[in-house]
Amino acid sequence: MECTLVKLENFSGTHSSIYSVYIEEEEKTLFDKFIEENISEYNLEIKDIVQRLLTIGKKTGAREQFFKTNEGVPGDGVCALYDDPNSKLRLYCIRYGNDIVILGGGGFKPKTIRALQEDKKLEAENYFLRDLSKEITQRLKDKDITKPNFMDFEGDLTFNFEDYEITKIQKNK
């Protein structure tokens, strides 16, 4: 699966840049897929998440209180954005301080599920971002990706994950 980080200009602003992952085979971003999968059943929650993203990009930056942190391994920045702390709709992302957020996918986490590993789709969405975060971190170290103004990525933003499980799960939706 080939994917590329793309800046979502309509959400990005003077306080934070919002990116998502464009999946070549799907011809859409993971965030677009998240909206499509959840808009009919969780319309109000989606509207709240969209409003939160606009606030992050244009007014406040990516403040920690907007996210459930530590959704990955220590230091990878994987977290979940939600419309409010009691919501079960999760949008997984990678947060780079207050300046950059990369939106992935996610879904609904029922009360009966205590850990994301109990739901194969949530697990795949989360683990994909963990792997992507590792790749971005390595490219930042190697200077293949830079953050010249702290709010934008520049450089090689295309990644290739051979036969990655997330595409199998998403194609079964």
Side-chain angles (χ1 to χ4, degrees):
M1 157 178 92
E2 188 171 286
C3 60
T4 305
L5 293 182
V6 293
K7 187 173 181 179
L8 303 179
E9 297 292 344
N10 53 331
F11 293 112
S12 299
T14 58
H15 288 79
S16 188
S17 292
I18 311 293
Y19 285 78
S20 191
V21 182
Y22 179 80
I23 306 296
E24 298 293 330
E25 297 86 9
E26 301 286 329
E27 298 183 354
K28 57 182 76 171
T29 68
L30 290 178
F31 181 62
D32 292 334
K33 286 191 65 73
F34 172 80
I35 298 240
E36 285 177 10
E37 292 169 357
N38 295 289
I39 191 76
S40 63
E41 196 166 343
Y42 305 106
N43 190 313
L44 290 177
E45 292 89 344
I46 292 293
K47 285 181 181 179
D48 287 344
I49 286 173
V50 166
Q51 189 58 50
R52 173 80 35 105
L53 290 170
L54 289 167
T55 299
I56 288 169
K58 299 179 186 303
K59 295 181 182 176
T60 65
R63 294 182 181 170
E64 189 172 337
Q65 70 255 29
F66 296 149
F67 302 88
K68 183 175 189 290
T69 58
N70 303 317
E71 289 287 298
V73 296
D76 68 4
V78 175
C79 53
L81 176 72
Y82 40 74
D83 59 320
D84 71 57
N86 297 317
S87 173
K88 296 299 178 194
L89 192 60
R90 296 285 187 256
L91 173 59
Y92 290 111
C93 51
I94 306 170
R95 181 175 164 260
Y96 290 90
N98 289 335
D99 302 317
I100 297 175
V101 177
I102 301 171
L103 305 177
F108 184 74
K109 183 178 171 189
K111 290 182 181 182
T112 57
I113 293 178
R114 289 177 283 150
L116 70 94
Q117 291 84 356
E118 294 175 28
D119 182 293
K120 292 298 179 194
K121 181 179 182 325
L122 290 178
E123 180 182 39
E125 300 281 4
N126 182 285
Y127 277 76
F128 172 73
L129 285 186
R130 292 179 191 197
D131 290 342
L132 180 61
S133 177
K134 285 181 201 172
E135 291 291 322
I136 292 170
T137 299
Q138 187 59 52
R139 289 186 187 185
L140 285 166
K141 285 180 185 174
D142 295 343
K143 298 190 183 343
D144 293 329
I145 294 176
T146 59
K147 296 190 304 180
N149 62 3
F150 298 103
M151 286 187 43
D152 291 300
F153 286 125
E154 288 185 2
D156 186 5
L157 303 180
T158 298
F159 303 85
N160 194 359
F161 294 97
E162 291 298 324
D163 197 35
Y164 204 80
E165 185 177 342
I166 194 170
T167 57
K168 293 176 190 171
I169 288 173
Q170 287 180 340
K171 287 180 181 174
N172 292 332
K173 288 302 267 167

